[in-house]
Amino acid sequence: MSFRSALDKAFDITQGLLVKAINSQAPTPLVEPMLHAVAGGKGLRGFLVQKSAELYGVGHDRSARAAAAVEAIHAYSLVHDDLPCMDDDDQRRGQPTVHVKWGEAVAVLTGDSLQSLAFELLSDEAVGNTDTRLELIESLSVSAGARGMVRGQALDIAAETAERPLTLEEITELQMAKTGALFEWSCTAGAILAGEGPEPMRKFARPLGLAFQIADDIIDAEGDTELAGKRLRKDAAAGKATFVSLLGLEGARARTKELVDEAEAALAPFGAKAENLRQAARFAVERRM
Ligand code: GRG
């Protein structure tokens, strides 16, 4: 199966569960904006959960809820990030953002509801035994929260009013939290589902998350707005330090290549079984959206 077909198949599984779980929240005025928030996107984090689980012999009957959980957290982060008090964007995934369609208060509540839904999904008995569910819930709380993704966002906001631009070391730390923490969780969830230690997959996830973020900076600098489905050239307009401003376009591209090589090398112990994940690493940096 081609990588694109595997990504689409995993997307359909994750999306099917998310839509069902959101509809089961009814009656609430938040069903429609929640469905809008999770629609579209590449589904890369959900794919990583499902494929890392397969690597450990866990099928999507158990991994799909974990895939849906991380996509729910990701969708919440995008809804909140798009708010006027954060990045102030009116387009996401080629559609109007939630606050543009329903107003800021509904957008805040939509993000809140998606965040709670993630943990409801992980609490389901279909995910595994109590220990497994607890470990997934705890690790996702840490990855998404004030020590993980939210920390990265807070550092990013603080950087806007800092007296000097961030250094390469500081931007790496920020992005490893803001974008990297959810990638790390997605890649290690399969090991946790199988009752195994997460360390081997962390070695894959860390360079992958960073490479994905550098690719995002490259797309922001030279990508096509229509393909990306969101406003671009924001970083340069805001005078923000990014991997591109610090390394230059060619330097940033060279760094993504090094990181993809590192990510692929981490998969060596898994042999041919990990081919989908190798392709995901290449896709993360070659993508145009
Ligand atoms: C507001 C709590 C809070 C956190 C926001 C991740 C984040 C933190 C904000 C997103 C801002 C952003 C565009 C970061 C660049 C990297 C990134 C996460 C891009 C979007 O991820 P994709 O490309 O999106 O996987 P799709 O739409 O494909 O799901």
Side-chain angles (χ1 to χ4, degrees):
M1 193 191 296
S2 73
F3 175 72
R4 195 65 237 190
S5 313
L7 187 62
D8 289 347
K9 193 169 168 220
F11 179 90
D12 288 346
I13 292 170
T14 307
Q15 194 70 11
L17 245 168
L18 265 177
V19 168
K20 199 167 155 214
I22 292 170
N23 281 323
S24 79
Q25 309 287 305
T28 161
L30 294 169
V31 165
E32 221 192 313
M34 286 169 85
L35 289 172
H36 181 85
V38 301
K42 297 177 285 297
L44 193 55
R45 294 158 191 77
F47 175 87
L48 291 169
V49 171
Q50 290 186 38
K51 294 300 159 190
S52 75
E54 273 176 26
L55 212 50
Y56 285 86
V58 176
H60 60 75
D61 50 325
R62 288 186 54 217
S63 66
R65 280 173 182 76
V70 75
E71 287 292 340
I73 294 279
H74 171 56
Y76 124 67
S77 81
L78 298 180
V79 172
H80 281 194
D81 187 65
D82 290 336
L83 284 166
C85 63
M86 298 250 184
D87 227 21
D88 194 9
D89 274 305
D90 54 13
Q91 212 195 20
R92 170 71 63 186
R93 295 171 169 170
Q95 296 295 324
T97 45
V98 174
H99 69 270
V100 165
K101 268 186 92 109
W102 285 278
E104 285 180 47
V106 169
V108 170
L109 297 173
T110 299
D112 293 341
S113 310
L114 287 168
Q115 175 162 211
S116 301
L117 181 64
F119 297 104
E120 189 181 325
L121 282 159
L122 288 179
S123 309
D124 195 299
E125 280 183 2
V127 173
N129 65 31
T130 312
D131 284 352
T132 301
R133 282 182 272 149
L134 195 56
E135 196 173 340
L136 287 169
I137 290 167
E138 193 207 0
S139 54
L140 186 58
S141 318
V142 173
S143 299
R147 278 176 281 172
M149 178 183 75
V150 170
R151 172 169 183 268
Q153 181 79 348
L155 291 173
D156 204 6
I157 285 168
E160 284 170 15
T161 49
E163 280 167 11
R164 56 164 180 82
L166 297 182
T167 63
L168 187 59
E169 198 178 46
E170 288 165 337
I171 204 112
T172 303
E173 185 191 344
L174 182 161
Q175 298 297 2
M176 293 283 279
K178 182 175 153 182
T179 307
L182 283 196
F183 271 91
E184 202 169 313
W185 188 85
S186 305
C187 296
T188 54
I192 298 174
L193 279 163
E196 303 273 347
E199 210 41 54
M201 287 306 286
R202 258 197 241 295
K203 291 196 179 116
F204 166 68
R206 289 202 169 133
L208 170 69
L210 200 51
F212 178 92
Q213 180 58 50
I214 300 176
D216 218 72
D217 288 356
I218 296 173
I219 292 172
D220 188 72
E222 61 158 28
D224 179 290
T225 305
E226 197 143 330
L227 265 182
K230 60 184 180 184
R231 185 164 56 95
L232 298 178
R233 322 282 180 259
K234 289 182 305 182
D235 296 336
K240 263 170 104 168
T242 67
F243 289 105
V244 170
S245 74
L246 291 164
L247 299 171
L249 263 172
E250 282 321 305
R253 273 200 198 93
R255 185 74 186 115
T256 60
K257 195 177 170 326
E258 283 169 10
L259 289 162
V260 168
D261 288 347
E262 201 184 313
E264 287 197 46
L267 294 174
F270 297 99
K273 277 192 304 183
E275 189 46 31
N276 269 316
L277 292 173
R278 279 186 200 95
Q279 289 172 333
R282 279 175 241 137
F283 170 78
V285 302
E286 284 163 10
R287 69 200 168 92
R288 293 279 168 265
M289 54 180 291

